[in-house]
Amino acid sequence: MTTILTRMIARLLFPVTLVVALAMLIKSYVSVGDGFSAGVIAATGVSIQYVAFGYRDVEKRVPWLRFAPSAAFLGLLLALTTVFVPALRGDAVLTHLPRPGNEVTHLGTVELLTAVAFDVGVFLVVVGFTVTALSMIGRVAEEESS
Amino acid sequence: MPEGAVYVAPFVCGVFAVALVSIAGAIFPNRAGYLSSAMAVVTFAVLAWLWQDGGGTFNVAWAATLDLRLHFRLDGLAALYGLLASGIGIAVLIYSTRYLPLHLKHESRPIQDATRFFAFIVLFMTSMIGLVMAQDIILLFLFWDLTAIASYFLIGYDQHKREARSSALMALLVTGISSVLYIIAAAILYADYGTFSLPALFENAQPGSRLTLAAALIAVAGLAKCAQIPLHFWLPRAMVAPTPVSAYLHSAAMVAAGVFLLERFYPLIATSTILLNALLVIGMVSMTIGGILALTAPALKRILAYSTIAQYGYVVFMLGLGGEYGVSAASFYVIAHGLSKSALFLTAGTATEATGQDQLARLGGLLRSMPLLAVGSGLAAAGLSAFPLTIGFFKDELLFKASLERGTFFATFAVFGAALTLAYMWRFWRGLFLGPVRTEAKPVSPVLVWPVVILGILVFAGGLFSGGVAALAAAAGEAALLRPTPVEVAYHLDFRDVNLMALATYSLGVLIIVTRRWWESAARAMADAGRRFGPEYLYETSLAQLNRFSERMLEFEVRDLRRRVSTIFVPAALLMVVGLIVSPFPGEFDIGIVRRADIPLMVFLGLAAVAAFAATRPARHLPLMLALSSVGFSLAAVYAVLGAPNVALVAVLIETLLTVILVGMLTLFPREIREAMINLEIPRGKIQRDSIIGLVAGLFAFVIAWGALSRPSPNQGVSAQHIDLAPEAHAGNVVTAILADFRGLDTAGEITVVAIVMIGIVAFLRPRTAR
């Protein structure tokens, strides 16, 4: 069992990691960071929860984590869509829009690009995979110890 | 539609049939047999109609940059083997509609399993049609391997039996390993002539040792598939398959594919007399040994299996004879043999079904209870034994003609082989239908009898109206030889050489039959010796040794974590030593100057080194882990100093995540185990050995890194290009642009792999109740 201090810090860190991950994700095309890093940050946040509280508690407190496998596949679908949809229009695969030279719509500092959608897909796969793997191992371990 | 698309219609029919049978069969397993029979009829009809029209070519680029084309041609060879595969397929499939449900009932399997059987038979037929029509070496290889895969599943159809599985594996290995030889030959030919196209290759081929080597490799692949000695042993073992499978694969399809390959590449093989002579010898050995084994084998299907080896020995012998008659005679022979042999296999299946016995010694006197079957299989056996008024008479006539052309020795041998055939065919038929009744026969469905009768009638009809078959064989011979060859078959009531040879065959055959008492023990001893010391024994021992070796390697590698690491690092270090010895040395290992700006870098590298050394000290697990992760963090700092913020970020993040996960893992261990692990006494020798391994591996990793860093990276240009292109891709961050745009396909592939790994983890670890 972990100490109360560990648990308190873990609890405080959770929203922070998620926000940092999200920020890094949407700004990935403009500054340091990418979908993969953002995914690893979010996954670290979740794994800290598992370490501090154990599998069963986390599953109770953060029920939406059970959507992790679906998130991974959704991400894969999103990424593969951005890869292959251009082929349907007759372009080379992975042709991103807007094309080079064209105007990019900005939302604050965020650029609206299909490449960013691809990056979001990567993010979802990374988070989904890590969380799924951790929760599976955590469950097996707790079942065996109990 | 591209020109000539109609000529791939038979193949497309087959592909459609595979899909239809698998899908419809999943819903109506009882109907899969009828459906596949109907589709075989359609395929046969389309093929026959197109061939009536004269055949033609279909040729479109497939992967143009790799020089691969979808190049099909319906020529004589393709028509002969395609019609044989689909025609015999019809008979076998109709037979199976009744046989397979009974078989499944005996094995207490659900009727749903029938679909798989029919789908694979149709798949085999389809790949056979693709194989015979392919005019591109690589395309041909694809279908060649597809037949091997289909045959694997068909031979191993009774997968709950260990013997079926090992026999299927044996067939796959023997024919599959030899198909590797084929692909090597393809590489040699492509290197020499720059084309995969068969017509272009035949036109340009220059006789020479490299061409002979390539042709020899292809010939070995073909010989393995048509079960010629010494690669014959898989065929008798494959008799564990349900009888229709044997009837199909080992009369008209799989073994025929082997001979087909020899004929298709005959222009290359024929450039070398050594190769032709080798074919002659192999054919003669297979004829003799196959014949003798067929005279001694106790089980019905084994007799037929050895007979197939012997009969294809004839075909290989004729191909080796070469000359005007050899190739077309071989083609004629394949048809005659296919018709007769499939009927005989089906006879064996029906007899076993009716009596429950598969050993010749327990069968007999079935003539009274199954007269129709006796007549049908009698015709087939007469055909194989080359009696007049059957198609078989002409197959032997052509054999005699071709062998006479080469000389008396070969002619004598041909007579001897034909006499052996007569003798074992008599043994088979007499043993089944004459003599005392040993096991009573239950009545069987007419579907199990009529295909045999119809095939028997075809054998008979072929003896009366042989013009069509002869024309087909002549066309096949022309396609193989690339020049017209005549096939003339007719009865002559006079004492010409060929007729005298036939008479000699019959008398010698009768002599072999009546003198059985004198040679039987010797033949049995030979069969026994072959089993004990022959190629099958070699195969078994080498497989067992390989298995033992790989198990030992595995056991060595996975016993503990240190072993696992050292099995990677020590061979890598050895390879490095070899690399250092064979490659030029000077100038490879530069020592640059250390500038003031490099000092922070040196500090972090030094930190990483200190942390690495600290991690080698025995300690509690938590400090050990922290020491390890501080190696990673120091390296991340190195990236940051080098001005690669994104890489540094990833390194830090991964290191963090790993540390957290490791800590989590540690909490899962009970405290006692952790304490016990710390106090574990490690023998001194082990520590020394591990240190040496670590030092050696580290030293060579250091050397390779030094060597790599001494030279400017050749990829510098690409990186510069990426940086230049980033603004155009609307990216402020080059790394992200590389990941999501420039090298996005790599990323897409990687995340797909990650998702698949996740499926694996879920499958292994999901709760047992959900399994």
Side-chain angles (χ1 to χ4, degrees):
Chain A
M1 209 54 213
T2 42
T3 61
I4 192 138
L5 186 69
T6 318
R7 272 176 279 163
M8 201 177 77
I9 292 177
R11 186 164 292 189
L12 282 177
L13 270 178
F14 193 38
V16 177
T17 50
L18 294 189
V19 169
V20 170
L22 213 60
M24 188 169 277
L25 174 66
I26 58 176
K27 287 191 170 186
S28 64
Y29 239 62
V30 208
S31 73
V32 173
D34 49 57
F36 177 78
S37 311
V40 176
I41 293 178
T44 311
V46 176
S47 55
I48 290 172
Q49 306 306 305
Y50 278 123
V51 171
F53 298 100
Y55 164 77
R56 223 166 278 154
D57 271 9
V58 176
E59 218 76 342
K60 238 177 265 160
R61 283 197 318 117
V62 201
W64 44 264
L65 282 183
R66 67 195 155 90
F67 295 117
S70 321
F73 285 112
L74 195 72
L76 186 64
L77 193 67
L78 180 65
L80 293 184
T81 308
T82 53
V83 171
F84 289 107
V85 163
L88 295 181
R89 296 195 315 259
D91 291 332
V93 289
L94 213 84
T95 307
H96 284 309
L97 289 179
R99 297 282 185 82
N102 291 1
E103 261 316 293
V104 181
T105 319
H106 282 262
L107 221 97
T109 52
V110 180
E111 294 181 323
L112 291 185
L113 278 171
T114 52
V116 175
F118 181 85
D119 222 26
V120 172
V122 175
F123 166 80
L124 286 175
V125 172
V126 171
V127 179
F129 170 81
T130 321
V131 172
T132 306
L134 284 176
S135 71
M136 285 284 166
I137 295 167
R139 171 159 59 199
V140 171
E142 266 184 31
E143 265 171 14
E144 273 174 9
S145 65
S146 68
Chain B
M1 281 232 281
E3 195 195 340
V6 65
Y7 296 110
V8 283
F11 176 64
V12 175
C13 268
V15 174
F16 178 69
V18 175
L20 189 70
V21 171
S22 343
I23 295 168
I27 309 167
F28 313 106
N30 281 316
R31 298 276 168 273
Y34 303 111
L35 206 60
S36 42
S37 312
M39 288 313 292
V41 172
V42 172
T43 311
F44 181 81
V46 171
L47 203 58
W49 174 67
L50 286 172
W51 175 239
Q52 276 299 309
D53 252 17
T57 308
F58 171 78
N59 189 355
V60 293
W62 160 30
T65 44
L66 295 174
D67 233 358
L68 298 178
R69 303 187 69 82
L70 291 175
H71 188 176
F72 293 96
R73 183 198 281 166
L74 185 61
D75 58 4
L77 262 183
L80 191 153
Y81 285 94
L83 288 173
L84 191 69
S86 50
I88 304 274
I90 297 171
V92 170
L93 282 166
I94 291 176
Y95 182 91
S96 310
T97 55
R98 193 76 203 99
Y99 183 90
L100 203 71
L102 291 173
H103 177 81
L104 290 174
K105 216 167 100 191
H106 290 320
E107 306 285 336
S108 33
R109 291 169 68 181
I111 189 72
Q112 278 76 9
D113 285 3
T115 306
R116 207 159 59 90
F117 172 90
F118 288 109
F120 274 115
I121 291 259
V122 176
L123 175 67
F124 197 103
M125 186 183 81
T126 306
S127 28
M128 195 65 193
I129 290 173
L131 172 75
V132 297
M133 287 179 65
Q135 288 286 318
D136 181 282
I137 296 184
I138 301 298
L139 195 61
L140 205 150
F141 178 73
L142 286 184
F143 291 120
W144 181 260
D145 267 8
L146 212 53
T147 60
I149 292 164
S151 70
Y152 171 76
F153 284 106
L154 284 172
I155 294 171
Y157 181 70
D158 292 331
Q159 59 206 18
H160 54 285
K161 290 185 195 155
R162 188 188 161 79
E163 205 196 336
R165 294 198 303 270
S166 71
S167 303
L169 186 67
M170 182 190 271
L172 185 72
L173 281 180
V174 173
T175 60
I177 287 173
S178 45
S179 78
V180 174
L181 301 180
Y182 175 93
I183 204 77
I184 294 172
I188 296 175
L189 292 173
Y190 189 75
D192 283 0
Y193 301 103
T195 177
F196 285 129
S197 156
L198 286 178
L201 199 64
F202 294 154
E203 211 167 285
N204 300 330
Q206 302 294 329
S209 56
R210 278 170 70 94
L211 187 71
T212 305
L213 175 66
L217 292 173
I218 292 172
V220 172
L223 289 171
K225 199 97 153 183
C226 58
Q228 293 300 289
I229 287 169
L231 298 174
H232 65 290
F233 51 90
W234 63 266
L235 183 68
R237 288 280 301 268
M239 292 300 124
V240 296
T243 305
V245 171
S246 314
Y248 190 51
L249 295 192
H250 308 128
S251 68
M254 189 172 178
V255 282
V259 170
F260 161 78
L261 195 75
L262 295 178
E263 288 201 54
R264 181 57 93 204
F265 285 90
Y266 199 72
L268 302 186
I269 293 171
T271 55
S272 152
T273 34
I274 300 173
L275 272 186
L276 287 180
N277 290 337
L279 287 186
L280 261 182
V281 172
I282 290 170
M284 291 193 325
V285 172
S286 299
M287 269 158 83
T288 318
I289 295 185
I292 292 172
L293 290 174
L295 278 171
T296 56
L300 282 182
K301 283 173 76 184
R302 286 249 169 173
I303 300 176
L304 297 175
Y306 289 124
S307 149
T308 298
I309 295 172
Q311 295 291 312
Y312 274 91
Y314 279 57
V315 178
V316 171
F317 172 71
M318 282 189 268
L319 290 176
L321 286 173
E324 203 60 37
Y325 292 112
V327 180
S328 42
S331 310
F332 191 94
Y333 207 100
V334 169
I335 303 181
H337 171 256
L339 288 174
S340 306
K341 187 54 70 59
S342 51
L344 292 170
F345 266 120
L346 296 182
T347 305
T350 308
T352 304
E353 196 53 58
T355 58
Q357 300 295 344
D358 59 356
Q359 305 288 317
L360 198 57
R362 301 225 177 111
L363 286 160
L366 292 180
L367 181 62
R368 198 157 309 154
S369 46
M370 316 174 99
L372 258 179
L373 189 72
V375 171
S377 68
L379 287 174
L384 212 58
S385 328
F387 284 139
L389 298 183
T390 65
I391 194 172
F393 181 76
F394 298 122
K395 82 175 164 67
D396 272 17
E397 187 185 359
L398 290 169
L399 166 73
F400 294 151
K401 249 189 215 171
S403 60
L404 266 178
E405 220 179 295
R406 270 299 276 271
T408 326
F409 171 71
F410 296 106
T412 318
F413 204 87
V415 168
F416 172 62
L420 275 180
T421 312
L422 177 69
Y424 63 67
M425 273 299 107
W426 171 251
R427 173 171 182 250
F428 178 83
W429 194 81
R430 197 205 87 93
L432 262 182
F433 293 105
L434 303 181
V437 178
R438 294 205 177 83
T439 310
E440 277 303 330
K442 289 180 304 217
V444 290
S445 153
V447 181
L448 295 184
V449 175
W450 276 102
V452 178
V453 176
I454 288 170
L455 286 168
I457 290 173
L458 282 177
V459 170
F460 182 59
L464 300 179
F465 316 101
S466 51
V469 182
L472 194 57
E478 184 180 342
L481 272 179
L482 305 177
R483 60 185 149 83
T485 58
V487 177
E488 288 154 10
V489 289
Y491 295 109
H492 304 279
L493 285 175
D494 53 17
F495 291 100
R496 57 183 63 205
D497 294 344
V498 179
N499 284 357
L500 287 176
M501 284 167 79
L503 285 177
T505 305
Y506 305 144
S507 354
L508 188 60
V510 172
L511 194 68
I512 295 176
I513 294 166
V514 296
T515 56
R516 184 176 182 88
R517 199 170 335 149
W518 284 289
W519 50 255
E520 193 174 11
S521 56
R524 276 192 204 288
M526 196 204 86
D528 202 42
R531 198 166 36 245
R532 223 173 278 167
F533 310 107
E536 183 171 355
Y537 168 77
L538 236 132
Y539 167 90
E540 296 286 0
T541 35
S542 58
L543 204 65
Q545 290 297 332
L546 266 177
N547 259 338
R548 198 168 308 154
F549 176 69
S550 103
E551 255 159 37
R552 225 175 259 165
M553 285 297 286
L554 184 73
E555 207 244 348
F556 176 80
E557 191 192 329
V558 302
R559 191 183 293 161
D560 59 24
L561 195 58
R562 286 182 195 81
R563 279 275 177 79
R564 209 167 215 185
V565 174
S566 62
T567 45
I568 296 169
F569 281 116
V570 173
L574 287 178
L575 281 179
M576 265 303 299
V577 174
V578 175
L580 280 179
I581 290 169
V582 298
S583 60
F585 217 85
E588 286 292 308
F589 297 98
D590 268 352
I591 302 175
I593 44 161
V594 180
R595 283 160 303 192
R596 184 184 284 267
D598 291 334
I599 290 173
L601 184 65
M602 305 288 284
V603 170
F604 284 119
L605 282 173
L607 272 179
V610 170
F613 269 109
T616 61
R617 302 293 308 158
R620 289 178 166 273
H621 290 89
L622 197 60
L624 200 62
M625 226 148 48
L626 292 180
L628 269 179
S629 60
S630 58
V631 177
F633 282 120
S634 314
L635 285 176
V638 169
Y639 293 124
V641 169
L642 288 174
N646 230 333
V647 182
L649 175 70
V650 170
V652 167
L653 290 176
I654 291 293
E655 213 51 63
T656 315
L657 182 60
L658 278 183
T659 311
V660 172
I661 290 177
L662 276 174
V663 170
M665 294 288 170
L666 207 55
T667 62
L668 294 178
F669 282 102
R671 179 178 289 274
E672 311 85 67
I673 291 184
R674 270 184 288 159
E675 299 289 340
M677 280 158 78
I678 293 162
N679 298 328
L680 206 62
E681 200 60 45
I682 303 167
R684 201 175 185 76
K686 213 171 181 180
I687 294 179
Q688 280 170 351
R689 193 195 60 196
D690 288 349
S691 319
I692 292 171
I693 289 174
L695 276 176
V696 168
L699 190 69
F700 282 98
F702 174 72
V703 169
I704 201 170
W706 188 0
L709 291 174
S710 298
R711 276 178 298 177
S713 156
N715 280 332
Q716 211 98 63
V718 180
S719 316
Q721 220 177 353
H722 282 160
I723 293 171
D724 288 344
L725 282 174
E728 228 178 299
H730 315 290
N733 175 349
V734 183
V735 177
T736 314
I738 292 174
L739 286 176
D741 197 342
F742 305 147
R743 308 297 302 270
L745 271 184
D746 293 1
T747 315
E750 283 153 14
I751 58 175
T752 311
V753 172
V754 168
I756 292 169
V757 172
M758 189 180 78
I759 295 176
I761 292 177
V762 171
F764 275 123
L765 295 183
R766 82 186 138 161
R768 278 185 201 102
T769 50
R771 243 174 237 180

